[in-house]
Amino acid sequence: MDEGVFGRAAQERAIAEVEAEMARLCELLAEGLAMGLDEGREMVGGAIAEFLAEFFELVRAKGSRPGMKGMITLPLLVHCAETGDPAPAAPVAVIHLLWWASARYLDDLTDAAPAEDTAARSVEARASGMKILTALAVGGQLPGRIIAGLPAGAAVRAALADEVSRGWLDAVDGQLRDLTERAPVASPASVLHGYEGKTGAPYAMAAASAACLAGVGGRRVDGWRAYGRALGVLRQLVNDQRDLASGRHEDLANGTATYLLVHLLAALPAARRREALALHAAARHSAAARTELTAWMLDDEIIESYADCVAPLVERAHGLLDGLGGDPGCVRELHRLVDETAGHLPRFRLAVA
């Protein structure tokens, strides 16, 4: 759709502008000139610029740019739905990308296996320590600098800072649940609760922040936060699916209790469930076990019932949008964002046809 105030062509231009702003920010950071850094702070600026360059290279290498485009357009569309103008929400899109650059590294760090050699471990620990400090600066401090520099009133800046803080705490809560949840005791509801934090929270932050910047408050901000969270949960389901489809099987190697895995376990009779759990335990160290368990998870009958369980999550996201309303063209695009996300899930269209 190219008609309307913020159709597809306009979105592509806006995405290019945000990406160009990120590139300009990296150049200034490398010179120690951005975000009000004092002279002589090029060390941290250079580390941040390198960190962000690695993030965008990883996005390209993993074919994740469509997902990144969704991260950018979400706050722009929310602001446009409220005001008819997407442009003022560009700083929120930048903050959203900074959050993900930081969180992606910290998440990968928790999943990484340590080096076996003592000398290698020492080098690895030093490099990791430097990147952890940089990740904290990227996701925790740069957003605050952006908010402080916005041409907005103190109340709006305070609301934005609150959304970033809320998003971090909710996401850490979800990530901790993800790291400690064990497949034998996990339920579909408990896994979704974790997803609402680990991936739902940053999307909730981006949507609610855009609404705050648009000058609305109260229930409308709450509504946009809920919509963002619902979209983020769907994004996590897509991430789970991509991990299986790519053959990387990182979730199985890490012992993660994903929604699809727990759905499979809940659908199996007791004896087969014990077999699946044994495969899941072996999958931590066995490629053959990962391949076999993946085949169980992608069985036609399991996928059909999985799609039936996902359909209400998609309907909820659409329902939240219907209740919020706003500029019709932008709301249509937000609905499309939900549908495009759901379209990556197996058999979804069959489930809701």
Side-chain angles (χ1 to χ4, degrees), residues 165-182:
S165 174
R166 181 203 304 267
W168 266 110
L169 290 173
D170 286 350
V172 170
D173 181 87
Q175 188 65 42
L176 290 173
R177 292 176 187 274
D178 184 70
L179 291 170
T180 57
E181 187 96 84
R182 293 293 172 259

Side-chain angles (χ1 to χ4, degrees), residues 195-266:
Y195 284 9
E196 287 175 355
K198 67 175 288 186
T199 310
Y203 281 86
M205 176 271 294
S209 294
C212 290
L213 200 57
V216 301
R219 291 184 179 179
R220 290 199 67 77
V221 172
D222 293 342
W224 286 116
R225 190 185 300 112
Y227 165 75
R229 185 175 293 110
L231 179 63
V233 168
L234 295 177
R235 287 302 314 166
Q236 182 58 51
L237 295 174
V238 171
N239 291 343
D240 295 347
Q241 167 67 13
R242 183 179 291 119
D243 181 57
L244 290 176
S246 68
R248 291 193 296 266
H249 298 165
E250 292 173 356
D251 289 329
L252 292 176
N254 293 327
T256 303
T258 63
Y259 186 66
L260 178 54
L261 172 69
V262 175
H263 174 79
L264 166 70
L265 294 174

Side-chain angles (χ1 to χ4, degrees), residues 4 8 124 170 172 183 210 252 262 287 296 299 307 319 344:
R8 279 310 168 94
E124 184 182 80
D170 286 350
V172 170
L252 292 176
V262 175
W296 284 40
D299 173 81
H344 293 289

Side-chain angles (χ1 to χ4, degrees), residues 14-343:
I15 290 166
E17 289 169 4
V18 170
E19 291 177 331
E21 175 59 23
M22 290 293 291
R24 187 183 72 85
L25 176 60
C26 286
E27 291 177 2
L28 292 173
L29 283 165
E31 299 171 8
L33 299 176
M35 302 293 170
L37 292 175
D38 294 334
E39 186 178 354
R41 299 298 189 271
E42 65 277 359
M43 190 73 181
V44 65
I48 290 171
E50 181 179 344
F51 184 94
L52 291 174
E54 288 180 5
F55 169 70
F56 289 116
E57 180 58 37
L58 184 67
V59 166
R60 287 189 289 271
K62 286 192 170 184
S64 300
R65 191 166 182 272
M68 191 179 78
K69 290 167 68 174
M71 296 175 194
I72 293 172
T73 56
L74 171 62
L76 301 180
L77 284 166
V78 171
H79 195 279
C80 185
E82 289 290 357
T83 68
D85 183 6
V92 177
V94 171
I95 289 172
H96 199 199
L97 290 180
L98 291 173
W99 193 97
W100 278 109
S102 175
R104 188 278 314 168
Y105 175 75
L106 295 173
D107 181 48
D108 287 352
L109 190 65
T110 62
D111 294 335
E116 296 182 5
D117 178 73
T118 302
R121 281 203 304 269
S122 177
V123 172
E124 184 182 80
R126 184 179 180 85
S128 294
M130 294 172 65
K131 281 205 168 180
I132 289 170
L133 290 173
T134 306
L136 293 175
V138 167
Q141 300 305 313
L142 288 191
R145 307 293 290 190
I146 291 174
I147 290 169
L150 288 175
V156 171
R157 292 198 301 273
L160 294 175
D162 179 70
E163 290 298 336
V164 172
S165 174
R166 181 203 304 267
W168 266 110
L169 290 173
D170 286 350
V172 170
D173 181 87
Q175 188 65 42
L176 290 173
R177 292 176 187 274
D178 184 70
L179 291 170
T180 57
E181 187 96 84
R182 293 293 172 259
V185 297
S187 67
S190 70
V191 172
L192 285 179
H193 185 39
Y195 284 9
E196 287 175 355
K198 67 175 288 186
T199 310
Y203 281 86
M205 176 271 294
S209 294
C212 290
L213 200 57
V216 301
R219 291 184 179 179
R220 290 199 67 77
V221 172
D222 293 342
W224 286 116
R225 190 185 300 112
Y227 165 75
R229 185 175 293 110
L231 179 63
V233 168
L234 295 177
R235 287 302 314 166
Q236 182 58 51
L237 295 174
V238 171
N239 291 343
D240 295 347
Q241 167 67 13
R242 183 179 291 119
D243 181 57
L244 290 176
S246 68
R248 291 193 296 266
H249 298 165
E250 292 173 356
D251 289 329
L252 292 176
N254 293 327
T256 303
T258 63
Y259 186 66
L260 178 54
L261 172 69
V262 175
H263 174 79
L264 166 70
L265 294 174
L268 294 175
R272 289 284 283 170
R273 186 176 188 275
R274 287 193 293 271
E275 290 180 47
L277 285 170
L279 277 175
H280 188 246
R284 299 292 296 267
H285 310 289
S286 168
R290 291 193 288 272
T291 299
E292 185 175 354
L293 186 53
T294 296
W296 284 40
M297 295 164 71
L298 297 181
D299 173 81
D300 283 347
E301 186 174 339
I302 294 299
I303 287 299
E304 291 290 352
S305 59
Y306 170 74
D308 288 339
C309 291
V310 169
L313 304 178
V314 179
E315 292 165 5
R316 170 172 163 73
H318 283 307
L320 287 166
L321 274 176
D322 289 337
L324 283 162
D327 178 90
C330 293
V331 171
R332 280 196 299 272
E333 288 298 309
L334 286 162
H335 278 296
R336 188 195 296 259
L337 193 55
V338 174
D339 287 335
E340 287 181 346
T341 300

